Amino acid sequence: MTNFTDEDLDNYLQNQVDLRHRQVSKSVEDVQKIIKDLTAEVSSKDARFQSIANSGVHNASLKDQPALVSKWSALLRGRCAYNPAIQVLTPTLFLISVPLQGLMGYKERRTRQWRYYTLSGSRLLSPVRKPEKLHQWLELESFVNPSQEWHDAHMIIEGDIVPAKVVNVFKEHLEASIKTCGLTSKVSMLESVGSVVRVAVETSEAQIEVELVPTVELMHYWPKRAKWPRLFRRWPSTERARCIKSFGFNLMATSNYHWLLSFSRAEQVLLSNIDEDGGCRRKCYRVVRQLKEDVWCPGSKPVITAYHLQTQLFWTCEKYPCTRDWRDFRGCVLRLVQKLHKCVSQHYLRHYFVRSHNLLKYSSTNELDDVAKKINNFLDNPGTYVH
């Protein structure tokens, strides 16, 4: 077996990982500017949609909460340059949440169990299927003070805010805005997959596929189904967990009827502050991500994305919370890879905040098995991949 040393890993970081990071950062910068202009134009046509410049703690609804904005800035200072709306799934696939406005005063309430309507609003004899673990219905009555613009049949059916209808309205505005902003040479609409709006954006580095998802941002509220932090766990600290939960969660319009729970702000804070004790967690994560993209699972639509790796990292940090567990760079990389191999082989990776949801539930088993074989080959001879 060919092994590797900490020095080999440091060289790999400098020669491979850092180069990729610079390229991706440039792509993010280019995409961010274009999507910011487009969503600002969409917002000028329909104020229910905001520019991505107003996402997260920059949301217009939080202008009267400077303490929350200050806390967010302090946590991420010098650690994260990306707009909080942007998630880099692969170097050429970005997920961008488009914040919605006018839905104020959210309260989680017991909702009607069954719905009997099609997306066009006609009556069904049998009910629409129930939401899965990471999804929920969203009713207009869930908000204490929704703006009048949301009382709109183009968005609402029987009191429900229907994600597919919200997406259709957004898509129409987006198509018009691409022309209005003179961006037809840089942005083109792609065929939608389900209810997700997809565009191709030309950057100086590469063509980037961007998924644009209208998103309800819910600050200061933590959903009941996300039972976190778990009892008797030492990572993260109680104080940090309380702080993270204050940033709330999102509901994303990714399916026809149900809204997807997202914890992107919580995940961003966890990842950005993951090595406060001087450990090597983030370095290990970057090495594993590079190996995933170069060797195990390359391509623009991989079965395993950076989000899966990040989730596995969080679970590993929770299991190994002590500083001494994250001093051995080489050993920690191998431990992360072994944990990933187990998840991929078993086709099972729990969502970090909603444990009952399997992130690999609908992934191709053949593709997962292929990735598992490649990871196993790496574990047999890791040095041949890192040297």
Side-chain angles (χ1 to χ4, degrees), residues 134-136 223 225 249-251 259-263 351 354:
L134 211 61
H135 289 81
Q136 70 169 62
R225 71 182 70 183
F249 72 111
N250 293 338
L251 290 171
W259 294 78
L260 174 70
L261 278 74
S262 166
F263 301 84
H351 189 279
V354 183

Side-chain angles (χ1 to χ4, degrees), residues 17-34:
V17 180
D18 287 349
L19 174 62
R20 170 206 166 276
H21 180 73
R22 289 193 296 272
Q23 292 171 336
V24 170
S25 295
K26 186 63 173 69
S27 295
V28 170
E29 183 181 327
D30 292 346
V31 168
Q32 179 173 292
K33 183 181 184 305
I34 290 171

Side-chain angles (χ1 to χ4, degrees), residues 198-212:
R198 298 165 59 241
V199 297
V201 179
E202 298 293 340
T203 73
S204 58
E205 296 294 329
Q207 184 184 85
I208 307 297
E209 181 179 324
V210 178
E211 297 180 349
L212 294 165

Side-chain angles (χ1 to χ4, degrees), residues 173-189:
H173 290 317
L174 182 68
E175 289 174 336
S177 296
I178 292 172
K179 297 174 183 176
T180 305
C181 294
L183 290 170
T184 52
S185 62
K186 291 187 175 182
V187 182
S188 55
M189 300 291 298

